[in-house]
């Protein structure tokens, strides 16, 4: 039963990534190794972010209170992801949709492997069933759309002929601080927002941002 639950969680988490690669132009252009290189860039970016956090924002293990300002500063360090994604978009050759799919999928897949795979492997094989790991798998799917959205917005921002850079900057910042805003909502409304509701809100917000990014992409291409 536990292995069956583990298999379900891994299939739910990894399935959309494999389907995205197989049924998009990525498979036509044999972009597997490009995605691997994007994943390596993700790991390098996270290492630099960890060094910055450890140097300038050390964790106070004695404090259990949520410090909104400190968390905001830490979330600001996540803007380094934008730099990493943008540099990758500049380096990858090809059409815009190929760049966006390669960067978004490679970055999201690397995040899945680095942050969720071990937790699923260890936790989903537990002796008792829990919805926590199913939620983690759903969250991995949301992250895929999230990173594809960021890649699409950054690619459009980097185009010299675009006339919507202000709107794109606002959308990019909202997308970047999304997780911080969710944490604030959970802190101030813990009784109203359960785990499933929080996941649903995250999915709706991500879907809304991705829809806007797709509309802007279609209008500019």
């Amino acid at each position: 039963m536990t292995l069956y639950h583990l298999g379900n969680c891994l299939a739910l988490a990894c399935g959309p990534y494999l389907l995205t690669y197989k049924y998009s132009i990525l498979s036509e252009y044999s972009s597997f190794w490009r995605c691997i290189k994007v994943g390596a860039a993700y790991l390098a970016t996270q290492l630099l972010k960890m060094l910055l956090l450890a140097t300038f924002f050390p964790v106070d293990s004695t404090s259990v209170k949520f410090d909104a300002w400190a968390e905001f500063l830490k979330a600001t360090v996540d803007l380094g992801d934008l730099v990493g994604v943008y540099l990758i978009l500049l380096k990858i050759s090809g059409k815009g949709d190929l760049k966006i799919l390669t960067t978004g999928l490679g970055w999201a897949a690397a995040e899945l492997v680095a942050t969720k795979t071990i937790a699923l492997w260890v936790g989903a094989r537990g002796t008792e069933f829990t919805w926590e790991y199913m939620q983690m798998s759903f969250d991995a799917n949301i992250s895929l759309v999230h990173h594809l959205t960021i890649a699409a917005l950054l690619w459009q921002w980097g185009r010299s002929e675009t006339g919507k850079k202000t709107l794109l900057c606002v959308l990019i910042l909202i997308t970047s601080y999304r997780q911080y805003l969710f944490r604030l909502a959970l802190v101030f409304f813990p009784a109203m927002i359960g785990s499933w509701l929080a996941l649903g809100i995250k999915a709706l917000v991500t879907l809304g941002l991705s829809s806007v990014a797709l509309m802007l992409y279609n209008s500019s291409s």
Side-chain angles (χ1 to χ4, degrees):
M1 179 63 183
T2 56
L3 290 178
Y4 180 73
H5 178 48
L6 172 64
N8 284 337
C9 291
L10 290 177
L12 180 59
C14 302
Y17 291 76
L18 298 176
L19 293 175
T20 301
Y21 182 87
K22 182 175 177 59
Y23 294 103
S24 67
I25 61 173
L26 294 177
S27 59
E28 297 177 11
Y29 286 88
S30 301
S31 301
F32 178 77
W33 288 111
R34 290 183 180 180
C35 293
I36 295 295
K37 292 178 181 179
V38 173
Y42 166 85
L43 295 177
T45 303
Q46 301 313 303
L47 178 60
L48 292 175
K49 284 170 54 182
M50 289 173 60
L51 292 174
L52 286 175
L53 287 172
T55 304
F56 299 104
F57 308 104
V59 177
D60 185 4
S61 58
T62 61
S63 176
V64 295
K65 185 179 179 181
F66 179 81
D67 189 337
W69 176 246
E71 293 299 324
F72 173 78
L73 293 177
K74 292 178 182 178
T76 303
V77 177
D78 289 337
L79 296 179
D81 288 339
L82 301 181
V83 178
V85 171
Y86 184 69
L87 292 177
I88 292 170
L89 288 170
L90 292 178
K91 189 174 182 60
I92 293 178
S93 59
K95 299 184 296 183
D97 50 355
L98 179 62
K99 289 185 175 185
I100 292 170
L101 286 171
T102 302
T103 305
L105 181 62
W107 198 273
E111 183 186 69
L112 171 64
V113 172
T115 63
K116 293 183 175 66
T117 303
I118 296 178
L120 288 174
W121 178 261
V122 175
R125 294 191 304 161
T127 57
E128 295 184 2
F129 174 83
T130 174
W131 285 105
E132 175 185 357
Y133 301 103
M134 295 295 290
Q135 293 174 349
M136 189 179 298
S137 300
F138 282 120
D139 186 65
N141 299 335
I142 297 172
S143 295
L144 173 59
V145 180
H146 170 73
H147 290 300
L148 288 172
T149 301
I150 289 180
L153 292 172
L154 286 173
W155 178 81
Q156 295 176 77
W157 183 86
R159 296 185 67 186
S160 58
E161 63 268 23
T162 184
K164 303 176 182 178
K165 285 199 172 184
T166 302
L167 174 60
L168 290 171
C169 285
V170 172
L171 292 173
I172 290 170
L173 288 176
I174 292 175
T175 307
S176 300
Y177 284 100
R178 181 199 62 158
Q179 191 65 31
Y180 171 72
L181 296 175
F182 286 147
R183 291 194 63 186
L184 278 182
L186 289 174
V187 168
F188 289 108
F189 306 103
M192 297 175 58
I193 303 179
S195 57
W196 282 107
L197 180 57
L199 190 66
I201 293 174
K202 182 183 292 187
L204 288 175
V205 171
T206 304
L207 180 61
L209 290 170
S210 64
S211 299
V212 175
L214 181 60
M215 291 173 57
L216 292 173
Y217 176 80
N218 290 332
S219 65
S220 62
S221 59

